[in-house]
Amino acid sequence: TDFLVIDVHGGGFIAQSSLSHEPYLRRFSDSAGCTVVCIDYTLAPLAVWPTQLHQCIYAVAWAFENKEQLGWTGKHYSLAGDSAGGNLACSMVIEFIRLGAILPESLVLMYPALYLHLSPSPSRCLSVFDPMLPTGVLKMCLDCYLGANAGLAATDVSISPLAASDDILRRFPQTLVMCGEFDPLLDDSVEFSRRLYKLGVDVHFEFGLALSHGFMHMSLVSKQARKLLQLACSALRGVHERIKANTDNPTA
C-alpha cells in the first residue's frame, strides 16, 4: 500500500505502551486499510526530554528505511497521537518542517498535550479534581518528562507546540483535533485549532460532549467516545482514499 499510519501512544510520558492502545489502533488499521505502526519510546523519568522526541523521529526514519517490512511503498503517511503522544506527533511535524523532511499527509490529535507550561486556564482550573487527569498528576507527569528543562516549557516549540510561530503552523498538514468537554487540556486544543484555522490550514476541531481525558479507551461504554473514534477512523480512511484516487487518476 502507498499509505501508512504512524501512531505515538499517550500515557503522560510516564506510562502505557503500544499494547495498551492496540484496541483502537486495530480499528484505525481496519478502517484505513493499511498498516499502523505505534512507537514505543523510553518512558520518563528513565529518560527526559528530548530523548522521547528523538526516538520518535528515528522511528519514522526507520519506517522509511524498512518500508518493505511494513508492506508500504514509502510514498505517503499520516501521524496520530493521543495525549502525550499527541504532543510528540505534533512536535515531530514541527521538526520535519524545520528540517525540510517529508511531511505527513495528515495529523490526528486526540486530546493532545500542546502546552506543557502549567499556566492557568479555565479548563485546567475546572479540572483540579478531575478523576482522570487531576492537576497534581499532570504536574507529576511534566516534572518527570522535562526534568531540569521545565523552564523551557513556555517557549520551546519542541516541548510546547502551541508556542510555535505562525510561519511554522501555516505549513501544517490537514489536521484533526479532538478533545473532551471535561479535559484539562481542552483550552489548549481549542486555541491550537483556532490558530491553524486563521492561518488557512485544513483543520477540524471536534468537541467531545461530556467526555474526559482518555476517551479513546472508552468506546465500549460511551456512545460519544465511539462517535469520536469513528471520526478518527473516517479521517484516516479519507486520506487513504484520496491517495488511491490520485494514484489511479494522476492527471485528475
Side-chain angles (χ1 to χ4, degrees):
T1 175
D2 287 341
F3 186 53
L4 178 75
V5 175
I6 301 176
D7 180 83
V8 189
H9 73 79
F13 303 104
I14 66 171
Q16 300 194 21
S17 67
S18 56
L19 185 62
S20 63
H21 288 57
E22 186 175 337
Y24 75 74
L25 293 178
R26 286 182 177 274
R27 293 284 301 276
F28 282 3
S29 181
D30 290 343
S31 182
C34 69
T35 300
V36 173
V37 173
C38 186
I39 301 172
D40 280 313
Y41 48 86
T42 303
L43 299 176
L46 295 178
V48 299
W49 174 89
T51 300
Q52 293 84 350
L53 176 58
H54 291 168
Q55 289 175 339
C56 290
I57 292 172
Y58 296 154
V60 173
W62 179 92
F64 274 95
E65 289 293 323
N66 297 272
K67 54 185 180 292
E68 293 83 4
Q69 297 182 42
L70 303 173
W72 178 43
T73 62
K75 291 183 177 179
H76 306 277
Y77 74 104
S78 284
L79 284 177
D82 71 299
S83 191
N87 172 281
L88 292 168
C90 202
S91 296
M92 277 198 285
V93 172
I94 291 173
E95 291 303 306
F96 294 160
I97 290 172
R98 285 170 157 179
L99 295 169
I102 299 173
L103 294 180
E105 296 291 330
S106 70
L107 181 62
V108 177
L109 300 175
M110 301 154 280
Y111 37 89
L114 297 171
Y115 192 64
L116 301 193
H117 179 62
L118 275 180
S119 59
S121 74
S123 65
R124 287 195 182 97
C125 293
L126 290 171
S127 303
V128 170
F129 301 107
D130 181 81
M132 291 297 295
L133 191 61
T135 303
V137 171
L138 182 60
K139 184 178 185 306
M140 178 194 69
C141 293
L142 299 185
D143 288 345
C144 288
Y145 177 56
L146 297 176
N149 303 302
L152 301 174
T155 56
D156 194 305
V157 299
S158 64
I159 296 175
S160 296
L162 185 57
S165 68
D166 287 352
D167 185 55
I168 291 288
L169 293 183
R170 67 167 46 96
R171 298 161 68 185
F172 260 58
Q174 173 185 320
T175 302
L176 170 64
V177 183
M178 305 189 298
C179 200
E181 179 179 5
F182 301 127
D183 195 317
L185 307 181
L186 174 61
D187 293 340
D188 299 336
S189 293
V190 171
E191 175 62 14
F192 185 75
S193 302
R194 185 192 68 83
R195 289 188 63 196
L196 292 182
Y197 178 78
K198 288 185 67 176
L199 292 168
V201 175
D202 181 2
V203 60
H204 176 78
F205 174 77
E206 189 70 19
F207 177 75
L209 184 65
L211 288 177
S212 65
H213 194 76
F215 60 74
M216 291 295 286
H217 300 281
M218 304 175 190
S219 62
L220 292 178
V221 296
S222 167
K223 181 178 179 180
Q224 186 69 9
R226 196 155 51 247
K227 173 187 172 184
L228 267 63
L229 171 57
Q230 291 168 351
L231 178 63
C233 289
S234 296
L236 293 170
R237 182 172 61 251
V239 172
H240 194 188
E241 289 175 349
R242 185 180 74 238
I243 291 168
K244 288 192 291 186
N246 290 339
T247 301
D248 295 339
N249 301 283
T251 59

